[in-house]
Amino acid sequence: MLGYETERHRVDVGDYALDLLVLRPHEQHGPVPGVLWIHGGGYMLGMAGMAHASRMAPLVRSGEAVVVSPRYRLAWRKPYPAAVLDCYAALLWLQEHAQELGCAPDQLFVGGESAGGGLAAAACLLARDMGEVAVAFQMPLYPMLDCRDTRTSADNHGRVWNTARNHWGWRGYLGPLWGSAAVPAYASPALEDDLSGMPPAYTFVSDGEPFLAETLDYVRALQAAGVSAACDVYHGDVHAFDMLTPWTAEARAAIAHFEERFRQAAATCRAAQPRR
């Protein structure tokens, strides 16, 4: 038993039929945040069903959130910008259907892990710049944000994800843009110079994995732009440690603090939707 209901929906993105997996609580008391949760996999792997193992599943089970997980196009099938366009379309779908899903329209959250965290940040950038949908809170966990080698993604030999795999993922996602000076921030959000107007953020990361530097740099850049943002750093070299080693003390602490931060955001973070 999952402890929640699952539904499948579909939205057209150009000529692509995007499948959406929706997780809904059996019971909830009043409107709850609607969360676009984007799976990881280095832009090359993964599936929408990974939401069942994500940080959001227990919060759906407890009646505190509704989750929409898009089956975005992986880079081996279609490189940038397909994935971010799919995720943004899923966000617009969530906005349109928020009330019937039992979501508070002014509490649309966006999050994900790894490449899903990168896509979460990119979707928030698009939402800010397009002005069609308002995001109240972002949760890009140990996000894959920077297509360049950073001080922690260069010569990294961490478990699960490392320098070689990072280059493989970015090369596949960027296609002909790989190595170019013309990579847009919607592909690699670390390249965005102005993060003003972005939604408040919370994330966590381990100190031995490739994405430590870009995660901390993203949080600092948000703070410098006047955006409330925080990051917790845990010891270890296992990427996605909260999902892959949930029995460890570090993972248990990360899980508990994530849920605390989510509940704080649910109590305080709201963003009215623009009139369309």
Side-chain angles (χ1 to χ4, degrees), residues 97-180:
H97 297 276
Q99 289 186 313
E100 65 191 75
L101 292 172
C103 303
D106 60 354
Q107 286 201 297
L108 303 188
F109 293 2
V110 179
E113 58 275 306
S114 192
L119 286 167
C124 289
L125 279 174
L126 264 178
R128 180 198 68 176
D129 295 347
M130 298 294 290
E132 298 176 306
V133 56
V135 178
F137 193 64
Q138 57 171 315
M139 304 167 286
L141 304 184
Y142 35 87
M144 188 173 175
L145 296 166
D146 201 331
C147 63
R148 306 161 297 185
D149 282 344
T150 72
R151 58 191 182 275
T152 60
S153 68
D155 194 29
N156 185 284
H157 304 280
R159 289 178 286 172
V160 180
W161 202 252
N162 51 43
T163 302
R165 290 174 180 172
N166 204 42
H167 289 173
W168 170 74
W170 279 115
R171 185 180 296 111
Y173 184 50
L174 295 178
L177 289 172
W178 167 251
S180 164

Side-chain angles (χ1 to χ4, degrees), residues 162-252:
N162 51 43
T163 302
R165 290 174 180 172
N166 204 42
H167 289 173
W168 170 74
W170 279 115
R171 185 180 296 111
Y173 184 50
L174 295 178
L177 289 172
W178 167 251
S180 164
V183 176
Y186 298 134
S188 179
L191 300 175
E192 176 59 40
D193 293 328
D194 179 12
L195 293 178
S196 60
M198 289 284 278
Y202 173 71
T203 183
F204 63 81
V205 66
S206 61
D207 59 8
E209 74 143 278
F211 300 148
L212 173 65
E214 58 210 80
T215 301
L216 294 177
D217 288 347
Y218 182 63
V219 169
R220 292 185 189 113
L222 287 167
Q223 292 170 341
V227 178
S228 175
C231 178
D232 288 317
V233 179
Y234 297 90
H235 180 62
D237 65 351
V238 179
H239 180 61
F241 67 99
D242 62 307
M243 296 175 69
L244 299 179
T245 60
W247 57 87
T248 63
E250 291 81 4
R252 291 198 301 270

Side-chain angles (χ1 to χ4, degrees), residues 24-33 60 62-66 101-104:
R24 300 181 65 177
H26 287 316
E27 295 182 11
Q28 65 187 65
H29 303 287
V32 297
V60 177
S62 61
E64 298 173 79
V66 170
L101 292 172
C103 303

